[in-house]
Amino acid sequence: MAGRRVFILDTTLRDGEQAAGVVFTPQEKQNIACLLDALGVDEIEAGIPIMGGPEKEAVRRIARLGLRARVVAWNRALAEDVRQSLECDVEAVVLSISVSDIQIRKKLRTTRPWVLDTMARAVEMAKGHGVYVSVSAEDASRADPAFLAEFARTARDAGADRLRFCDTVGLMHPFAVHEAVARLVGEVPGLPVEMHTHNDLGLATANALAGVMAGAACVDVTVGGLGERAGNAALEEVVMGLKYLLGCETGVDTRGLARLAEYVGAAAGRPVPAAKPVVGRAVFAHESGIHVDGVLKDPSTYEPFDPAEVGMVRRLVVGKHSGVAALVNCLERAGIEPDEDLMPEVLARTRQWANDLKRGLEDWELIRLYEQVRAERARAAVS
Ligand code: MN
């Protein structure tokens, strides 16, 4: 596992934009594609050409930017969809079709043999035009494992380059994912697996990593986890998880993660939540006395990794849970050498202030408070 190179496909522009109510302008799509390329993701799923209009035009523009990343277009497993994608000059296509009986019967109102036949014909048509083909097994997590293996074998034999294992409704746990993917990798050799996980139960990242541990070669992500319902596996979580939990390599320069999340959050009208793992503004902020004391002595005591590694900055917040060490540190950073005898009183008033206002103190507020206490003591000494 350690040292293995895992490939990252970012689908912020396709599955991310499918989040209800989210729209990127063509210019925003292009900006995001350029930022993802600069960051070093391997593939960018740019959109759905069969939608036509500005969506198709945006995919075409991104495909012609000459990015280092491979540009991918999403399709149903239908010849007409593929034709529209080929007109955009993309290097790769995703061909999606349902594989669970729930979706085959209730959504497509068809049968397993029709699914196999339709998929195989779409793969052959796309491969005939020389593009890279990833076959997307929609709702794979709820499919009959034997049928999923037959589907994968059929895809491989038709010429597919990769199989996308989709936990479409986010209903799997990591142990089940590991079992299913290991089985697929074992039963259908020669067809790399790509993980596509959703966060309905908060397990998208865990499931993506479980897939990699079982042998998956590639992970689908979106910036900030933007996507349908509770979203997809988040780029920043997956990349840092691959690095720190599995020791895997990606091509991603993690220093750009925070700024990218900020840009995508603004463009999507979904600002980054404070406690969003890796890139939220609260993630490297410390207030409680014990934690601040530890972080001041050595940041690794209470931080999983250096915030600079993901483009973040550590913040020490003075507030209700502060201890003397944090107050002294804050005053010293302002060039003040605090009188230790005053600190118990400064601490008491800091807590009172934070309780009254229900917030932390700005540095200048603490400095004013310290100077006030010092002046009072000086007056008391004179009288
Ligand atoms: Mn999806």
Side-chain angles (χ1 to χ4, degrees), residues 202-217:
L203 293 169
T205 297
N207 284 334
L209 297 184
V212 170
M213 291 175 80

Side-chain angles (χ1 to χ4, degrees), residues 32 59 146:
I32 291 168
V59 175

Side-chain angles (χ1 to χ4, degrees), residues 14-15 18 166 168 196-198 228 232:
R14 199 280 297 174
D15 218 356
Q18 277 178 218
C166 300
T168 300
H196 183 97
T197 56
H198 276 275
E228 301 264 8
N232 293 56

Side-chain angles (χ1 to χ4, degrees), residues 36-42 66-70 91 251:
L36 286 166
D37 190 56
L39 198 74
V41 305
D42 300 290
L67 301 178
R68 184 177 48 168
R70 178 150 65 192
E91 296 170 79

